[in-house]
Amino acid sequence: LVGLGPAPERAHKVAGSLRTALHEAGSDTLTLTLFALIAFMDVMVIKHHLSDAQASLYGRAALVAKSFLYLASALNLVLLPAAARALAAGKDPRGLLLRFLGAALAVNLVGLAFVWALTPWCLRLLAGPDPIFQTMAPLTRWFSLAVIPLALLQLSLAYLLAVRQRGLPAILAVLALLLWVLLEHSWQDERLVVAALGGVSLLGLIL
C-alpha cells in the first residue's frame, strides 16, 4: 500500500466500488436464480404431484425440449461482452440484441423442425431406448415449441444484465409467482403445463 496516495480517500473509493460491485453481483445472481426457477419449475411441480413413473416420462420430454436452452447459453457468451463493450463505447447496443434474437429464433425454428420430424429418434438419443418414452412424442413436439420463448428470454436477460438494466429480479419474481399459480392449477394436464411455461416465457419476453 506504500505510495498509493492518501489512504483514507483511497479506502473510501475502494469501499464504495466494492459496495457497488457486491450490489450488482447480488442482483445478477438473483436474476439468474429466478430465471432457473422459471425454467425448471414445471419439472418440480410435476414431480411433486405425480408418481415417480409419470414424472420420469415428463422429465424425458423436458430433457429433449429444453435442449433449446443450450443454444441461448452459447449465444449469451458472445452477446453479453459485445453489449457491454458497445455500451462502454457510447453506442446503442439494442441493434445487437435484435440481431442475436433474430439469429436465435431462426436456428431454434430449424431445431424445432428437426425435433418435430424426428421426435422418436430424439427421444431415443436423449431419453433412452425404452419404448414407453415414445408415448411422450406428441407432448415433446409442443414442449419444444413452448421452450423457444424461454430460450429467447434467456438471451434477452443476458443483454439486460450487460447493459445494467434495473428491476430484473422484481419482474422475474412476478413471472415466477404467476407460473407457479398456473402450474398448480394445470398439473393434471401436461399440455396445459407446457402451455403455461411457454405463455409466461412469452410474457416475460414482451415485458
Side-chain angles (χ1 to χ4, degrees):
L1 296 178
V2 177
L4 293 182
E9 180 181 353
R10 184 170 296 276
H12 178 73
K13 291 181 178 178
V14 170
S17 299
L18 181 59
R19 283 194 298 269
T20 300
L22 289 175
H23 178 269
E24 291 179 352
S27 177
D28 292 353
T29 300
L30 183 56
T31 295
L32 296 175
T33 301
L34 287 169
F35 174 79
L37 178 62
I38 291 171
F40 297 101
M41 187 185 296
D42 61 315
V43 176
M44 292 185 286
V45 170
I46 287 292
K47 187 173 180 60
H48 174 72
H49 287 289
L50 299 183
S51 67
D52 289 344
Q54 292 173 303
S56 176
L57 288 177
Y58 182 89
R60 296 305 194 279
L63 177 64
V64 175
K66 292 181 181 179
S67 61
F68 286 87
L69 295 177
Y70 296 126
L71 171 64
S73 297
L75 291 175
N76 288 348
L77 299 177
V78 182
L79 175 59
L80 198 152
R85 283 196 302 268
L87 188 66
K91 300 177 182 178
D92 187 349
R94 286 177 293 183
L96 277 174
L97 174 63
L98 294 177
R99 288 198 294 273
F100 271 80
L101 285 176
L105 179 59
V107 175
N108 279 330
L109 289 177
V110 172
L112 176 64
F114 181 84
V115 171
W116 202 283
L118 299 173
T119 309
W121 181 83
C122 292
L123 283 168
R124 285 194 299 271
L125 177 66
L126 296 177
D130 194 330
I132 196 172
F133 295 147
Q134 298 301 323
T135 62
M136 302 302 292
L139 179 67
T140 300
R141 294 187 179 103
W142 292 108
F143 206 154
S144 299
L145 176 62
V147 168
I148 290 179
L150 183 64
L152 298 179
L153 176 60
Q154 183 183 20
L155 192 62
S156 299
L157 286 176
Y159 165 82
L160 293 173
L161 289 175
V163 300
R164 311 312 312 169
Q165 178 68 42
R166 296 179 180 274
L168 293 179
I171 294 173
L172 289 178
V174 171
L175 291 175
L177 179 60
L178 173 61
L179 179 59
W180 178 75
V181 171
L182 292 174
L183 293 178
E184 283 295 325
H185 286 82
S186 63
W187 62 266
Q188 293 176 319
D189 189 335
E190 292 168 339
R191 294 169 299 179
L192 293 179
V193 169
V194 167
L197 177 62
V200 170
S201 301
L202 185 59
L203 177 61
L205 192 60
I206 294 172
L207 294 177

